[in-house]
Amino acid sequence: MSLFKERQYVRIRVDREADDSLWMKCKACGELVFKRRVRENNNICPNCGEYFFLTAGERIESLVDPGSFEDLTAPIVTDDPLGFVDSQPYSDRLREAQEKTSLLDAVVIGRAAIDGVPVILGAMDFRFIGGSMGSVMGEQLCRAMETAIAEHRAFVLVSSSGGARIQEGMFSLLQMAKTVTVRRHLAEAGLPFLSVMAYPTSGGVQASIASLGDILIAEKGALIGFAGRRVIQQTISEELPQHFQTESFALERGQIDRVARREDLRDELALALGYFVEAR
Ligand SMILES: [Zn+2]
């Protein structure tokens, strides 16, 4: 616990009013689109169908029953155990990310219901240092699974992460083992874990907790892999298929169970959760 500082922060709010420009330009089709239309459309371009990034808050809102979400994200922040400096000190990078996102770290955890089924839900936020998993995310995910066990709920995790947080070195790699261990407790308690892989699910997150769902659903357009395409190509000196590391590539090889469009994701989760609900 000495890795963390106990701090009180403002809880996540999707601050819609602060953004006062009404229009945005779609980076895919170049069309000017009405921002509210885009938001109401799950952050999908109404003109060409391009997906824009969802923040953790928007992701949660798109999946859970209205008004059911209760934020359980623990008020902890990492303590920069290595005093790490790259192009800027890690502590500055953290503070900037916190100010930009109003989040403590790259994951939001909470109680919710999906189609009436009680769950503990975690959603990663790629804006926060690439959704990377450091000691705080590892701790939040473990607490989430422990809460799921204590309250007899399913665990749903939406990943959007570049992998381990390199600024925490070995401490970030340890989170892979830590989350996997608690995931096992969840399995021993007989509770389901539904893992949703969004763009991107890679590195240490893909190589640990995200791949360990009982049911693995990728959002259409997800990138799923461990190392980057170029690194692999250089290592094995072979051409890689065009759709390497796409959701369809992962599906063909049995790495995931389903691919769902963003607009269908909530229904897919409801369907999957339904299999685990006790018949009355
Ligand atoms: Zn578009």
Side-chain angles (χ1 to χ4, degrees):
M1 280 306 292
S2 59
L3 268 179
F4 307 118
K5 292 179 194 154
E6 289 282 345
R7 257 197 230 170
Q8 279 299 337
Y9 272 81
V10 190
R11 283 304 171 95
I12 175 177
R13 291 278 170 272
V14 184
D15 193 3
R16 302 210 181 283
E17 306 316 314
D19 189 6
D20 48 7
S21 56
L22 290 175
W23 299 86
M24 62 182 283
K25 190 172 179 168
C26 172
K27 62 185 185 314
C29 67
E31 198 76 13
L32 273 182
V33 285
F34 198 36
K35 264 189 185 170
R36 214 182 66 197
R37 276 282 319 274
V38 174
R39 279 200 303 262
E40 286 167 357
N41 198 32
N42 272 321
N43 270 18
I44 303 168
C45 174
N47 187 52
C48 72
E50 174 78 3
Y51 286 6
F52 305 122
F53 263 118
L54 289 182
T55 66
E58 289 166 340
R59 175 67 75 183
I60 290 164
E61 202 174 275
S62 77
L63 294 179
V64 305
D65 299 351
S68 71
F69 186 73
E70 187 188 336
D71 195 334
L72 298 175
T73 316
I76 50 173
V77 291
T78 184
D79 204 15
D80 189 12
L82 306 180
F84 194 89
V85 182
D86 47 67
S87 59
Q88 65 179 137
Y90 179 38
S91 51
D92 291 356
R93 197 181 286 281
L94 268 177
R95 190 161 12 100
E96 274 174 25
Q98 285 163 349
E99 280 164 10
K100 187 173 75 182
T101 60
S102 312
L103 299 178
L104 298 168
D105 209 281
V107 70
V108 176
I109 297 296
R111 256 183 220 111
I114 296 176
D115 199 26
V117 180
V119 299
I120 297 293
L121 175 70
M124 296 178 192
D125 198 310
F126 194 77
R127 295 173 303 160
F128 199 107
I129 316 183
S132 51
M133 179 161 72
S135 42
V136 168
M137 185 190 285
E139 176 70 12
Q140 301 283 15
L141 293 178
C142 289
R143 288 185 187 199
M145 289 185 279
E146 281 160 359
T147 308
I149 294 167
E151 300 182 2
H152 207 70
R153 287 165 178 255
F155 178 50
V156 178
L157 175 64
V158 185
S159 299
S160 176
S161 172
R165 185 168 299 170
I166 52 164
Q167 290 87 349
E168 293 184 26
M170 185 57 88
F171 293 103
S172 69
L173 296 181
L174 278 175
Q175 307 313 313
M176 297 170 68
K178 176 169 160 170
T179 52
V180 166
T181 305
V182 181
R183 191 270 172 267
R184 190 193 172 96
H185 299 163
L186 193 70
E188 284 162 358
L191 294 163
F193 166 27
L194 275 52
S195 178
V196 177
M197 301 185 184
Y199 182 91
T201 297
S202 57
V205 169
Q206 187 264 344
S208 63
I209 189 70
S211 291
L212 292 176
D214 296 296
I215 297 178
L216 303 166
I217 304 173
E219 180 173 78
K220 187 170 151 280
L223 180 149
I224 300 164
F226 183 69
R229 185 188 177 94
R230 203 154 17 117
V231 174
I232 297 173
Q233 201 145 303
Q234 281 166 0
T235 308
I236 64 171
S237 309
E238 263 181 57
E239 275 300 306
L240 295 168
Q242 205 55 42
H243 69 319
F244 184 64
Q245 292 184 334
T246 62
E247 79 285 7
S248 59
F249 187 86
L251 185 68
E252 281 165 18
R253 282 153 185 82
Q255 210 179 347
I256 55 170
D257 301 305
R258 302 279 281 178
V259 175
R261 297 186 307 168
R262 179 179 290 172
E263 50 271 50
D264 301 330
L265 205 46
R266 187 184 176 280
D267 290 344
E268 285 281 334
L269 285 174
L271 177 71
L273 286 166
Y275 296 134
F276 297 97
V277 173
E278 217 173 341
R280 283 167 201 265

